[in-house]
Amino acid sequence: MAAEIVMYMVGLLVVLVLLGFHIAVALAMTSVLGIYLMMGSFDVAVSLLGSSAYEAIRSHTFIVIPLFVLMGDFVSKSGAAGDLYQVCNRLLRRVSGRLAVATVAGNAIFAAVTGVSVASAAAFSRIAYPEMRRLGYQREYAVGVVAGSACLGMLIPPSVLLIVWAILTEASVGKLFIAGVLPGIILAIMFAAYCVVHARMRPDVAPNPPAAEDITPLARGEIFGALGIFALVVLVIGGLWGGVFNPTEAAGFGTIGALVLGVAKGMRGREVMQAIYSAARTTGPIMLLLIAATMYSRLLAMGGAVNYIQNLFFGLGGGTIVIVAVMIIIWIILGMLIDSISIILLTVPIFAPIALALGLDSTAFAIFGILVIEAGLLTPPFGLVVYTVKGAVPDPSVKLKHVFKGSFPFCVMILIAALLVILFPQLATWLPSVTF
């Protein structure tokens, strides 16, 4: 009976989400209602909601999210992202489609200090897109590169998605961070290779800049900003890799370093407060989601829903391949409707135990899942990164169809990278095995 109640609540949850309810509200409502139906007491259900909120927020792991988001906001508002782009552009002057490759390289490095794809998409829409268009790059190609490469922010640490996944599965945040490094680099190389090959096959899509563009020397401020971001990457990722910091400490020191960089780049009180407000606006809804998700996880546990759903999956037949394929389909469909964090909160409490029962490595499965969910950032009709790029590019002629079409090859490459990780789990497990 309890398992049936949970299944009804999961169905009601899907209906509420499709009707437009905020995912946190839908999670909380269905969780409270489900526990009430199982326990027969509304007071017990509300008490569990309160205790879930307390237990969720008091965990020191949660402080990692606002700190890393704040670090990214300091860097973004300081203008260092633009400096990084200009340096990458100049270093890649002999590469075909160099502005596109510089966008990929800039996003890969910028991802290591933001952890949020939306931040990368917003920043490079204003930095890279106008530059590419000024030099004659095709519109769809330019916005596609910006949107596609922004997705690196959800895999390369410090990724907010990896933090949320670690919290839900009680995994090590640091271990998942390190596990995302090699797949993130591989994906960035795939993106860059596509940009180069496409530019060589279609020179009209990405014409080479005039030779005069390479003569103007870089300004000292641009070099300083780029080196500052590199220093933050070494501080955060190097500190985690070397065992100097745990994730919370790395987030704290990284935020202080980003503030120092921002002040050195000219940020003052007003800009600093704007970055803090921006980080609060980003992390507030995430915290609310995590509280509701904790309640949702308790509902699943109390009702034995995981075992029930696990039996349904195993009853499909076809073994691991079929079950993983079903997970991919569910993730991609959800990616067309809701944001990535909500997808993780809805599915990971169910899918992670099933993956363990199948004998899949938990770390590799986490990276695989993040990659598939990441592809959802580019899928219509929702495509959070696509909408961010559409809203951020200073070009009213850009339509959603241009961004979706231009970013489609990147979506395919993300799914290929996900399949590589699930087929060769060592891509995700090797670095953590060396470090931890």
Side-chain angles (χ1 to χ4, degrees), residues 101 140 149 170 228 367 396:
V101 179
E140 289 178 359
S149 57
E170 299 182 354
I367 302 302

Side-chain angles (χ1 to χ4, degrees), residues 309-334:
I309 297 173
Q310 183 172 304
N311 290 334
L312 288 178
F313 270 79
F314 290 153
L316 294 172
T320 302
I321 295 176
V322 172
I323 294 174
V324 171
V326 171
M327 290 180 181
I328 293 174
I329 293 170
I330 292 173
W331 273 329
I332 291 177
I333 292 174
L334 288 176

Side-chain angles (χ1 to χ4, degrees), residues 43-58:
D43 290 338
V44 171
V46 174
S47 175
L48 281 173
L49 178 60
S51 63
S52 296
Y54 175 74
E55 292 294 330
I57 295 300
R58 77 176 187 140

Side-chain angles (χ1 to χ4, degrees), residues 66-148:
L67 283 176
F68 275 132
V69 172
L70 180 57
M71 181 177 73
D73 279 325
F74 281 149
V75 172
S76 180
K77 293 187 182 300
S78 70
D83 300 334
L84 175 65
Y85 174 74
Q86 292 300 334
V87 170
C88 290
N89 177 28
R90 194 58 54 82
L91 292 175
L92 296 167
R93 60 181 178 272
R94 298 185 184 278
V95 178
S96 299
R98 82 180 206 198
L99 294 181
V101 179
T103 303
V104 173
N107 263 303
I109 300 169
F110 190 58
V113 293
T114 58
V116 182
S117 288
V118 171
S120 298
F124 282 86
S125 293
R126 300 185 184 99
I127 297 167
Y129 176 79
E131 191 72 6
M132 284 190 277
R133 290 292 288 160
R134 182 178 69 85
L135 294 175
Y137 278 52
Q138 185 193 57
R139 180 172 50 197
E140 289 178 359
Y141 179 74
V143 291
V145 169
V146 171

Side-chain angles (χ1 to χ4, degrees), residues 294-312:
T294 302
M295 188 69 174
Y296 170 67
S297 297
R298 288 194 175 189
L299 172 67
L300 295 177
M302 291 174 64
V306 173
N307 291 333
Y308 182 79
I309 297 173
Q310 183 172 304
N311 290 334
L312 288 178

Side-chain angles (χ1 to χ4, degrees), residues 85-240:
Y85 174 74
Q86 292 300 334
V87 170
C88 290
N89 177 28
R90 194 58 54 82
L91 292 175
L92 296 167
R93 60 181 178 272
R94 298 185 184 278
V95 178
S96 299
R98 82 180 206 198
L99 294 181
V101 179
T103 303
V104 173
N107 263 303
I109 300 169
F110 190 58
V113 293
T114 58
V116 182
S117 288
V118 171
S120 298
F124 282 86
S125 293
R126 300 185 184 99
I127 297 167
Y129 176 79
E131 191 72 6
M132 284 190 277
R133 290 292 288 160
R134 182 178 69 85
L135 294 175
Y137 278 52
Q138 185 193 57
R139 180 172 50 197
E140 289 178 359
Y141 179 74
V143 291
V145 169
V146 171
S149 57
C151 290
L152 293 169
M154 286 303 183
L155 182 63
I156 295 177
S159 162
V160 171
L161 289 189
L162 288 173
I163 297 171
V164 174
W165 190 296
I167 290 171
L168 290 178
T169 60
E170 299 182 354
S172 165
V173 174
K175 187 174 182 179
L176 287 188
F177 275 0
I178 300 302
V181 172
L182 187 56
I185 292 173
I186 291 173
L187 187 59
I189 292 172
M190 291 172 64
F191 286 174
Y194 163 76
C195 292
V196 172
V197 172
H198 195 63
R200 287 183 177 177
M201 293 178 64
R202 296 275 309 277
D204 59 307
V205 167
N208 290 322
E213 293 278 334
D214 299 328
I215 298 175
T216 306
L218 289 166
R220 289 185 179 181
E222 292 174 336
I223 297 173
F224 176 78
L227 290 178
I229 291 181
F230 275 110
L232 284 175
V233 173
V234 172
L235 176 67
V236 175
I237 306 301
L240 284 170

